[in-house]
Amino acid sequence: MWLWRGVWWSGGRRRSRLAGTALGVVLLAAAAHAQPAPIPSIFDPLSRPADEIYTLSLFVLGICAVIFVVVGGLLVTSIVRFRRRPDDDGREPPQVYGSNPIELAWTVVPLLIVFVLFLVTTRSIIAIERAAPPADALEVRVIGHQWWWEFRYPAQGVVTANELHVPAGRATFLTLESADVVHSFWVPQLNGKTDVIPNRVNRMWIEPRDAGLYIGQCAEYCGTQHARMLLRVVAHAPADFDAWVASQRGEAVHDPSVQAGRDLFQSVACINCHRIGGTVADGVFGPDLTHLMSRATIAAGAADNTAANLHAWIANPDALKPGALMPAMKLSDAQITQVVAYLTTLQ
Ligand code: CUA
């Protein structure tokens, strides 16, 4: 299935405006947010192990193409050559039964093809799944939620949401967990899909060659907002990655000019679901907001992270993302403006 979706996406580069498949539209809409990102395609791998999957896909597609041409060719030849003609006498032509060489050929050849496909696929699966983390590998815990992604960096003491920051040219090993239902972590240019399953820990790894932004998407239907469960993977040059970690490490900035908004935030139920480092807000149900403004989008890619969108989101999350589990806090417009003023200081 991933292969065919990949085909769609790849074609979308040229056909999207005409075809407008649901996935293509979702993805293009997502890519339109914030800075433009390359449209993800499995035919444009930019990382291990996506390279290996790509090579394998080409090999499998090549064999399938040969089978298609041979079978299609025989079919067309038969239809044309043995079609009904005006001078047919209506009787059946002589029938051929039990030709041993033919029977043998069409049994053995498919068997060999399946065997070769099985071997090369198994070899790739084992090579990718059994790859041991190198000594300098980064470890990140990925937790799927309805409908956003939580990223925890245990060694660095960093927690963020929806944007996975990794170093380029170095392996990142991911531990995949779910807080609720089954999701699937998929960034086509970095690796294949891996399901994110409750009460189970899955592993996968990526190693983007170059710094850049890679777009992904939850690839397992997980409820109303499955389509708006976007992933942004930002690969940094090593020094930039260290700088990013340093910027995410500390507690939230304390800006006295937004004291009213901070007091308001801490007096309502926001703090039950969100954490802001250095304050009483220590909820874990929703995204960590300590460095909210360092992220490009809100609501897992549903909107750009701007003051206006934050305002609309807090006023009525359901309008921006129908079915979102964040409730409207029933604050007045002036109160929301205060809260947004506070939130936008959280660099
Ligand atoms: Cu999470 Cu679909």
Side-chain angles (χ1 to χ4, degrees), residues 109-272:
V109 172
L111 223 98
L112 282 177
I113 293 173
V114 170
F115 189 63
V116 167
L117 290 178
F118 174 78
L119 280 185
V120 293
T121 308
T122 310
R123 192 185 60 178
S124 289
I125 290 173
I126 291 175
I128 292 169
E129 288 203 343
R130 294 226 178 128
D136 68 342
L138 175 71
E139 286 283 346
V140 183
R141 267 179 79 198
V142 177
I143 302 158
H145 294 260
Q146 285 178 317
W147 291 276
W148 59 283
W149 300 94
E150 179 178 354
F151 300 116
R152 293 183 165 266
Y153 299 66
Q156 288 74 19
V158 167
V159 179
T160 186
N162 302 319
E163 270 181 25
L164 173 63
H165 290 252
V166 298
R170 195 176 125 197
T172 297
F173 274 67
L174 307 173
T175 304
L176 305 174
E177 301 159 59
S178 170
D180 35 52
V181 299
V182 181
H183 306 272
S184 178
F185 186 93
W186 189 34
V187 186
Q189 289 170 308
L190 305 183
N191 196 344
K193 294 172 180 170
T194 307
D195 276 0
V196 181
I197 301 169
N199 299 317
R200 191 193 151 86
V201 175
N202 276 343
R203 289 278 277 170
M204 76 178 294
W205 59 280
I206 55 175
E207 195 180 321
R209 280 193 293 275
D210 301 312
L213 173 64
Y214 305 88
I215 295 287
Q217 156 79 39
C218 177
E220 181 75 45
Y221 182 72
C222 52
T224 317
Q225 284 300 332
H226 156 69
R228 284 210 187 104
M229 194 167 161
L230 274 125
L231 277 157
R232 298 166 67 82
V233 178
V234 184
H236 297 276
D240 295 345
F241 179 70
D242 293 342
W244 178 81
V245 168
S247 74
Q248 295 288 312
R249 234 178 176 148
E251 295 189 329
V253 292
H254 191 94
D255 183 342
S257 71
V258 291
Q259 187 65 44
R262 179 164 40 241
D263 290 345
L264 187 56
F265 185 89
Q266 296 188 18
S267 70
V268 286
C270 306
I271 57 173
N272 294 340

Side-chain angles (χ1 to χ4, degrees), residues 37-80:
I39 295 170
S41 161
I42 64 157
F43 293 105
D44 186 19
L46 298 170
S47 169
R48 293 171 68 212
D51 299 322
E52 171 134 15
I53 297 171
Y54 170 69
T55 311
L56 177 65
S57 306
L58 288 191
F59 179 73
V60 173
L61 280 175
I63 288 187
C64 292
V66 171
I67 295 172
F68 177 80
V69 168
V70 169
V71 173
L74 287 172
L75 191 67
V76 171
T77 308
S78 307
I79 290 170
V80 172

Side-chain angles (χ1 to χ4, degrees), residues 2-12 15 42-43 61:
W2 57 268
L3 195 61
W4 293 112
R5 286 200 210 168
V7 171
W8 267 119
W9 284 20
S10 171
R15 292 193 307 263
I42 64 157
F43 293 105
L61 280 175

Side-chain angles (χ1 to χ4, degrees), residues 95-118:
Q95 300 294 299
V96 181
Y97 290 107
S99 162
N100 282 344
I102 294 177
E103 296 274 358
L104 210 70
W106 65 43
T107 307
V108 171
V109 172
L111 223 98
L112 282 177
I113 293 173
V114 170
F115 189 63
V116 167
L117 290 178
F118 174 78

